[in-house]
Every structure is written in C-alpha cells, then in structure tokens.
Amino acid sequence: MGAYTITAVCGGETATAVVTIPDLTGDLTVTATVLDASATVTGLSDDQAVTVDWGDGTAPDTVSLTDGAGTATHTYADATGSPYTVTVTGNTSGAVLTADVTVTPPPLTVTATTAADPQTTVTVTGIWAEDTTVTVDYGDAGTPEQLPVTGTAATAAHIYPQNGTYTVTVTGDVTGQTDSADVTIAGWTDVVVDPMTSDAMWPALVYSTALTTPAEMITGDASAEDGNLLRDTGYHLREYPDNIELDPTALYRIAFRVRSSGTTPPQTYLGISGIAADGTTRVNGNGDDSPGAQYFAAAQRATLPESGWTEYVGYLRGKSAPATGGSEHHDPDDPGTFLEEVVYIRPIMSLAYKGDTTAVMDVDTVRLTSAQVPA
Ligand SMILES: [Ca+2]
C-alpha cells in the first residue's frame, strides 16, 4: 500500500513509473447506546461494500459504501458477551478493521407503593434476561431479600417496622443493574412509647422469686436515646399497669431497647401480657392466670450480649386456639396470636430471670405500636 516505483530495464534502457496503490486501511468507529450499536467505517475507498460481523454470533451484515464510507446499526440481544469485538472486512480490499464495543443493559425500574401502609408493594420491571433473581434491599434494618424473576419483572410485599421514608434498592444478581425508589411509611400508630423517665408505669410484680425493689432511674446517659433509662439488678418482672384494648385485626409490634450493665449478662423475657374481659385476670399463652408464660414474642429467655444496646422486637396479631404468641415472633409476616379470651394487653418484661440477684439490666425504651395490615 502506498506509492511504489517500478523500474524496467531493457537493453540498457531504464524506464521508471510510479504506481500508487490505494490505501486499504480505514477507520472504524463503533458506538453503543444501551443495547443499540452503530458501526461507521470510512477510508475504504476501494470497497463498494463491507461485511460487518458484530461479534455476537449473529449473521454478519453487508453494508454498501459511498466514497469509502458507510454506517451499519445493530441491536444486541443481550450484554452477556460485552464488550463485543466488531469486525469489518472490505469486500474488495480485504482490509480488516476491528473495534470493541461495550453494550450496557438498560436499567431496571423499581417502583414502591404503600398498598396497605405499612405494607409496601415493590415492583421491578425491565429486568434483564440474565437476571433470574434480583436482590431487594428495603432500606430498613432487615436482611435483603432475593426475588425470583418472572419474565422481566418481579414483585414483593414488605412490612416496614416503623414510620419513616425508606429507599428500596434492587440489584440484578448477574448484571448488577440497579435502581432505587423511595417509599414513605406512615401506617404505624403509637400505643405505648415509654422512654423510661420514670418507673411509675412499670410496677414490679410479686411473682415467683421476682424481686420487687424499686428500679434505679438513670439520667444523662448519652448512649440512651433520650439519656434516661431504667436499671434493675436481679430478677424483676415489670408490667405496664394500664389495660390496652386489643384490636384483633391490628398487627402489634412490641420493641424493647435493653442492655446488660453488669458482669454477667441477664436472661430476659420480653413481650405482651394477655388480660381477660374483667380487666384483671391474666390469660397467658396456656390460658392460665399468670404473668409467666405470657406472649413473649420479642424474647424468650434471651441472654443479652455482654454490652451494648439491643432492640428485641416481636409481632403479634389476632387470636387463635391454641395461641402461637407464646414463642418468639420476629417476622411481621409471621406474627404470633393471642388466646381467644384475651381482651386487653399490656407490655411486660422480665429483667433477668428466676433466682438471678446479680445481673444488671438497663431498659432504654419500650415501644408498642400497631398497624392495620391485611393478613
Ligand atoms: Ca430512654
């Protein structure tokens, strides 16, 4: 390629001629927008047409050139082979040009709607074929959930634990394509929220070996949500004194923010007491009139971590026989139930356990909230 000098010698005579062979190289430019690619070739002045192989196994295109230039377009079916190598071959010159093109999957789209606040429906569309599953991070403290994909879509329902605005993020498990959407939750109503500024609402019950000494009220503790906390040493059983009428259709969330402050972590029971229609008779999970074996959905003799605040959460809803709320129920999709005879409820907490006189347990906050969530 280029200019060549031809010399002819004949009987002492020499003749020369300069022959210019057209330059067979050219320029290939390939661009891609999401899945659509475009290849532009210039400078193949000898070629009337070129063959474009898109590098994805599909049949090559033949593109006519005008003055050595032409453009071809192609839609990639997926991005699994990206970057693809596009090869253009001059049909006359045999010139071969290559270029890599990166194809990007389209972003999936997430929408989150409060179909029945605080329950949200998360809908994902535009999921790319490689993503047979996507991972949903609901933006709360819960573990992200992996969803199966049907076609190009996925749907999930999620109950948020408290009011607020959350960002739902969905990520394709193979492509990594991702999108997020905000959802605002307002469906929870406070029933009892006590920051523990006083022990007046938490009388110690006379039961079994439980101590009935007054709680120590701590103020100015920067690690507590409001600086205030209730501290007990040894086994105390404390129950909220007021009856709260049980709404059998409501989902109840009972949460205790507690910690161990002694040398030996206490064991604790945390949940809700059931009270009969007379307002005084207790109806525990076994149907007995006892503060024991109540609906300890948040913690069943849980041993606290050696230090640091932990929030124990339980969910209860409705009535059944037998009741299921006598065991831990941490999942709002799987709340425990009360017995049929339960008409009123009260938060209840066992600070340390039977016979324990040394473990120290702090209570920062007790929160009982409710929401209407379709079963
Ligand atoms: Ca507090």
Side-chain angles (χ1 to χ4, degrees):
M1 291 168 281
Y4 297 83
T5 302
I6 299 170
T7 303
V9 180
C10 179
E13 294 294 322
T14 300
T16 62
V18 176
V19 175
T20 300
I21 298 176
D23 188 347
L24 297 183
T25 62
D27 294 317
L28 169 64
T29 305
V30 183
T31 58
T33 306
V34 193
L35 294 172
D36 295 323
S38 171
T40 300
V41 59
T42 55
L44 293 180
S45 54
D46 264 15
D47 291 294
Q48 301 300 305
V50 293
T51 299
V52 181
D53 186 327
W54 297 97
D56 61 353
T58 58
D61 290 332
T62 299
V63 179
S64 296
L65 302 185
T66 301
D67 296 332
T71 298
T73 59
H74 181 67
T75 298
Y76 284 92
D78 58 51
T80 50
S82 180
Y84 295 97
T85 298
V86 178
T87 304
V88 172
T89 305
N91 289 3
T92 303
S93 67
V96 175
L97 307 172
T98 63
D100 286 345
V101 57
T102 299
V103 172
T104 308
L108 52 75
T109 302
V110 175
T111 54
T113 53
T114 50
D117 199 343
Q119 187 172 56
T120 286
T121 301
V122 175
T123 304
V124 193
T125 55
I127 300 170
W128 203 221
E130 295 95 307
D131 288 322
T132 55
T133 56
V134 294
T135 297
V136 183
D137 185 337
Y138 294 100
D140 56 18
T143 306
E145 181 181 359
Q146 197 174 49
L147 298 181
V149 175
T150 302
T152 61
T155 306
H158 181 68
I159 297 173
Y160 279 92
Q162 51 193 340
N163 294 338
T165 297
Y166 302 87
T167 299
V168 183
T169 303
V170 178
T171 305
D173 289 335
V174 175
T175 64
Q177 61 171 327
T178 189
D179 189 29
S180 61
D182 286 351
V183 61
T184 297
I185 299 300
W188 287 103
T189 301
D190 289 347
V191 180
V192 172
V193 177
D194 193 337
M196 297 296 160
T197 54
S198 161
D199 65 349
M201 298 306 284
W202 300 96
L205 303 182
V206 179
Y207 174 67
S208 182
T209 60
L211 304 170
T212 57
T213 50
E216 183 182 357
M217 300 309 300
I218 309 293
T219 60
D221 186 313
S223 71
E225 288 181 344
D226 66 335
N228 302 305
L229 60 92
L230 178 153
R231 174 169 295 167
D232 264 333
T233 300
Y235 173 37
H236 288 77
L237 193 61
R238 296 188 183 276
E239 184 184 57
Y240 193 75
D242 294 345
N243 285 330
I244 299 154
E245 188 168 353
L246 172 65
D247 177 352
T249 67
L251 175 67
Y252 288 93
R253 178 183 189 268
I254 182 72
F256 301 82
R257 189 169 190 257
V258 297
R259 73 175 174 193
S260 168
S261 283
T263 53
T264 306
Q267 298 174 325
T268 187
Y269 287 78
L270 302 167
I272 296 176
S273 282
I275 309 294
D278 65 6
T280 57
T281 304
R282 291 190 182 82
V283 181
N284 72 6
N286 303 321
D288 298 330
D289 178 13
S290 167
Q294 286 288 350
Y295 305 87
F296 293 113
Q300 286 268 345
R301 203 171 178 176
T303 300
L304 267 58
E306 290 190 359
S307 63
W309 293 105
T310 301
E311 187 175 54
Y312 289 88
V313 177
Y315 291 91
L316 291 150
R317 178 177 58 203
K319 304 178 182 183
S320 67
T324 63
S327 58
E328 293 184 6
H329 286 265
H330 304 302
D331 182 353
D333 290 315
D334 179 32
T337 58
F338 298 95
L339 275 181
E340 299 287 349
E341 294 78 9
V342 175
V343 175
Y344 302 102
I345 56 175
R346 306 171 187 170
I348 186 172
M349 50 192 182
S350 171
L351 303 163
Y353 191 56
K354 284 182 181 176
D356 190 332
T357 58
T358 59
V360 182
M361 181 161 145
D362 293 346
V363 182
D364 181 11
T365 316
V366 177
R367 285 192 182 87
L368 176 63
T369 52
S370 71
Q372 294 293 337
V373 181

